[in-house]
Amino acid sequence: MSRKSAERKFNYTADEHQRELVSLLKQFSYGHHLDTVFRDFVEMAALAISNRVDRAQYDAREKRYMEIVGKYKPEEAQRFPAMFAALTGTFEVRVQGMLDGSGVGLTDVLGETYMMLGISNDRCGQFFTPYALSKLMAGMLGGDVAARADAQGFARVQEPACGAGGMIIATAEAFHEAGVNYQQSLHATCVDIDQCCVHMAYVQLSLLHVPAIVVHGNTLSMQVWGHWYTPAHVLGGWNQKLKMRRAWDALRGLLDGGARDDAQHDDAALLPPPVVEQVFEPEPMAGPAMSEDFADVAVLERPAEVVDTDGLADMFEEAVGAQPHANAFFEIVDQLALF
C-alpha cells in the first residue's frame, strides 16, 4: 500500500480513536523524528504487554522499556499511555462492529497508520498489503480452513513475512465470518525481519486476543533473534495444545508409515482427537482491552512449545512452499521454542 492510498483509506475509514492516535503521534514532531516516536511507541506497547505474561524475558524487556522512556521528557512520556488507550479504543470499536455486523470490521490499524505517516522503509521495498486484498484472500479460503479447524480442534497459520500482521487479522475475521471462534481455533506463527513490524504485529494480535508467536527473524537466512508470545497464547494454554498436536502427528505418522498426505488424515478415527476439546463452539469473544489483573491468572515462566504440523491455513501453503528454506526455517523456530 502506497502512502497516498493509505492516506485516502485513513481519511475515509479512520474512527475517532485512530485519529486521536495520529494526533498524539504528531505532537512529538517538534522535537523528535516521527519515525522514531512511532517505533518507540509500538516497542513500548509490545514490552508492556509481554511483561504481563512472559516472565522468562521480563528483566531484559523491562530494562529496554526504561531505556526508551528515558529518552523523553515527563510530559512527553505521558502521551504514550494515551496513545495506547487510543489504539485499544479503535480495536474495541472494530471488534464490536465485527460482532454486531454494523459494517465496521477489523483492519490493519498500525500498518495503515505506519504507511499513512510515510515512515515505512521504501528503499527496502517495504509496502504493506492493503487490508482489503488480505481480506479477499482470507475470505476465499478462510471458510474451508475454519471448518477444518473447528473439526480438528485448531488450525495453524505460518506467515514468513508478516508485516504488521494484516494477513493474520484478515484470517481471524474470516474465521469469525465462518462461525468459528478464532481465539480458540486459530494459532499463528508470524515472522518478520523488521523489528518494528514484529512489535506492530505482536501488539495488534495481542489486542485481538489471537493465540500467536511473533518471531523476529529472517526466513531466508534462517536466523532467529527473538520470540514474542501473545497473552492469548499463554493464557489459553497453547503449550499443552501444541504438545498434544505434536504427539498426535507423531503417532499418526507412524500409522501412516511416515506419509504425510492430507487425504489420508481424514481417516483418523483410529486415534483420539489431538486436543482435549474436540469441537469448539463459537463463544462471545473477549474484548481487546485486557484486565489489570489478568497476569495473576497465568504467566509464561519458560518458552512455549511449538510444533510443525500439516494443519496450516491453505492460503499460506503455496506461499511458504515456494520458498526453498521456508519450511526448514519454521522447523528451526519450533525447535528454538522447545524447552
Side-chain angles (χ1 to χ4, degrees):
M1 177 184 289
S2 66
R3 181 177 181 178
K4 290 184 178 180
S5 297
E7 287 177 345
R8 286 195 296 268
K9 180 173 175 56
F10 179 84
N11 293 331
Y12 182 72
T13 64
D15 57 70
E16 58 178 322
H17 302 288
Q18 192 173 0
R19 295 181 187 278
E20 175 67 12
L21 171 62
V22 172
S23 175
L24 289 167
L25 279 167
K26 290 183 176 179
Q27 290 180 30
F28 287 90
S29 60
Y30 67 90
H32 302 275
H33 290 292
L34 194 58
D35 172 66
T36 301
V37 175
F38 184 89
R39 288 176 176 272
D40 286 344
F41 164 62
V42 294
E43 183 173 3
M44 290 172 66
L47 291 166
I49 295 171
S50 174
N51 279 355
R52 298 302 299 272
V53 294
D54 189 350
R55 299 301 185 185
Q57 306 185 77
Y58 178 88
D59 291 339
R61 290 182 173 174
E62 183 67 13
K63 179 181 178 181
R64 175 58 182 161
Y65 184 95
M66 299 307 298
E67 288 176 355
I68 299 173
V69 172
K71 298 192 303 183
Y72 297 90
K73 299 176 182 179
E75 60 272 19
E76 294 174 330
Q78 292 177 0
R79 295 195 192 116
F80 287 103
M83 291 157 62
F84 186 73
L87 179 62
T88 302
T90 193
F91 273 108
E92 287 179 339
V93 169
R94 294 180 181 281
V95 168
Q96 187 59 45
M98 180 182 68
L99 294 175
D100 60 25
S102 63
V104 181
L106 301 182
T107 193
D108 181 4
V109 176
L110 287 177
E112 292 172 358
T113 303
Y114 187 61
M115 294 298 295
M116 186 272 294
L117 293 173
I119 54 180
S120 63
N121 194 341
D122 296 351
R123 289 172 297 178
C124 294
Q126 188 179 57
F127 297 97
F128 293 174
T129 303
Y131 187 77
L133 179 57
S134 296
K135 186 175 180 180
L136 175 63
M137 295 169 61
M140 291 172 63
L141 297 170
D144 293 338
V145 175
R148 188 176 66 194
D150 193 35
Q152 296 180 348
F154 65 89
R156 287 192 70 195
V157 173
Q158 293 178 336
E159 169 61 292
C162 66
M167 194 67 211
I168 305 300
I169 295 173
T171 304
E173 190 168 14
F175 268 52
H176 171 75
E177 292 175 352
V180 178
N181 189 340
Y182 69 81
Q183 295 180 349
Q184 295 181 323
S185 301
L186 172 67
H187 188 276
T189 302
C190 313
V191 185
D192 206 279
I193 193 172
D194 189 322
Q195 196 168 26
C196 182
C197 291
V198 169
H199 296 149
M200 285 192 286
Y202 178 75
V203 170
Q204 295 198 119
L205 297 182
S206 293
L207 290 178
L208 290 172
H209 206 64
V210 176
I213 301 172
V214 185
V215 181
H216 182 209
N218 186 333
T219 309
L220 297 180
S221 67
M222 306 176 76
Q223 294 173 286
V224 176
W225 301 295
H227 294 77
W228 297 75
Y229 306 97
T230 64
H233 173 91
V234 179
L235 304 181
W238 281 91
N239 287 5
Q240 184 65 21
K241 293 178 183 179
L242 295 173
K243 182 186 296 184
M244 294 181 71
R245 175 63 66 86
R246 174 183 287 275
W248 162 261
D249 287 340
L251 183 55
R252 185 172 57 192
L254 289 174
L255 293 180
D256 290 344
R260 296 177 65 86
D261 183 358
D262 286 342
Q264 298 177 10
H265 294 168
D266 294 334
D267 301 324
L270 296 175
L271 298 176
V275 292
V276 176
E277 300 86 359
Q278 297 186 32
V279 178
F280 292 111
E281 295 296 334
E283 299 176 358
M285 293 188 296
M290 292 175 290
S291 168
E292 289 294 328
D293 300 324
F294 79 89
D296 297 330
V297 178
V299 295
L300 183 65
E301 297 291 352
R302 58 187 181 183
E305 294 184 78
V306 237
V307 299
D308 185 44
T309 174
D310 290 335
L312 306 180
D314 291 345
M315 67 191 73
F316 295 102
E317 287 180 344
E318 292 185 4
V320 174
Q323 300 295 332
H325 299 298
N327 290 322
F329 175 79
F330 280 104
E331 290 279 3
I332 292 176
V333 169
D334 287 347
Q335 291 299 322
L336 289 174
L338 294 177
F339 185 74

